[in-house]
Amino acid sequence: MKTAVISDIHSNLEALEAVRKVIKRENITRVFCLGDILGYNANPVECLKIVRELNPVCVAGNHDFAAVGLTNTDYFNPYAKVAAIWSGKQLNEEQTRFIKSLQLVHREGEVTLVHASLHDPELWGYILTQADANASFEYQETPLCFIGHSHFPCIYFEEGVPLVCPEGVIQLNKEIKTVVNVGSVGQPRDGNPKASFVIYDPENYTVDFQRVAYDIETTQKKVLDAGLPSFLAERLSMGR
Ligand code: ZN
């Protein structure tokens, strides 16, 4: 069954709505969410509601856990810290319980879901190099693992060179363990401001990298109106 894999929504309602439209248009009914629903932008409650309506298999991100006091924010940059704490204050008790109930890792058939890395997932280390990927491969029991966290789409193979900023449909090989970073819906950082996500096709064993335009100016205005740091609005149009 075709599956939409979304990550790092970061309270960006306009980006999430645009991605949801594509998911509906493609008649996709199964969704994996790799965490960081919250943080950075101004619509944490609305984004959490929409994500839950998509009924995804969902794992926790560091900003989700930071918002509800389940992870240390000492290593967050000041902008991220302010926004995570602000996000947490917007949630009601039930929403807070939901975030707290999220698991760090989920395995299902040939697929593993984790926000950052399978190497000590609770420490939220980044996979930015082949060496980082290799550390995660040691704990990967399935052929395929989906990650987010760096907001930078990329594919790492247990053998071979990484595929940086992949576009369109990529054929994978079940014989080679693979990590797919699906990029970020709500705050892309690969120089392309459009929302990023992946459509995974288990039958053909492909991943299809999608980029979706959305109303960035509205999101930016909401960030400023909420009193969140202006840098968080500026970076959206740069895709950085
Ligand atoms: Zn993130």
Side-chain angles (χ1 to χ4, degrees), residues 7-10 35-38 40 61-63 115 126 148-151 184 187 189:
S7 190
D8 296 274
I9 294 134
H10 285 301
D36 277 5
I37 301 165
L38 310 176
Y40 288 130
N62 53 325
H63 289 252
H115 182 65
Y126 285 94
H149 196 37
S150 70
H151 302 199
S184 169
Q187 194 197 75
R189 293 180 195 157

Side-chain angles (χ1 to χ4, degrees), residues 42-216:
N43 287 118
V45 171
E46 294 80 359
C47 287
L48 181 56
K49 188 165 172 278
I50 289 176
V51 168
R52 292 176 78 178
E53 283 168 9
L54 293 169
N55 196 26
V57 177
C58 188
V59 292
N62 53 325
H63 289 252
D64 302 322
F65 272 6
V68 298
L70 280 188
T71 201
N72 194 329
T73 54
D74 287 351
Y75 69 97
F76 274 46
N77 71 51
Y79 311 108
K81 191 171 179 170
V82 163
I85 292 166
W86 184 87
S87 272
K89 285 185 184 154
Q90 314 305 311
L91 305 183
N92 67 28
E93 262 180 53
E94 190 277 330
Q95 290 157 342
T96 302
R97 266 200 308 278
F98 173 82
I99 294 293
K100 285 184 173 177
S101 75
L102 295 173
Q103 302 296 303
L104 288 169
V105 179
H106 177 83
R107 281 188 199 85
E108 183 167 323
E110 65 199 7
V111 170
T112 304
L113 312 179
V114 67
H115 182 65
S117 168
L118 294 173
H119 180 247
D120 293 332
E122 73 283 3
L123 298 182
W124 316 107
Y126 285 94
I127 295 183
L128 299 172
T129 65
Q130 184 67 41
D132 299 334
N134 290 344
S136 187
F137 280 131
E138 281 192 42
Y139 300 89
Q140 187 175 323
E141 294 165 4
T142 58
L144 185 55
C145 178
F146 287 108
I147 64 165
H149 196 37
S150 70
H151 302 199
F152 202 102
C154 194
I155 306 180
Y156 294 92
F157 306 97
E158 204 174 21
E159 296 157 29
V161 285
L163 200 52
V164 179
C165 295
E167 290 177 19
V169 179
I170 310 286
Q171 180 69 55
L172 303 177
N173 179 348
K174 278 186 196 174
E175 305 302 315
I176 300 171
K177 272 191 199 172
T178 305
V179 166
V180 174
N181 189 320
V182 302
S184 169
V185 170
Q187 194 197 75
R189 293 180 195 157
D190 59 335
N192 179 351
K194 291 180 179 177
S196 175
F197 80 106
V198 156
I199 298 172
Y200 166 52
D201 179 348
E203 272 91 66
N204 295 311
Y205 208 56
T206 57
V207 281
D208 185 357
F209 283 81
Q210 303 277 322
R211 297 309 285 250
V212 189
Y214 72 95
D215 180 1
I216 292 177

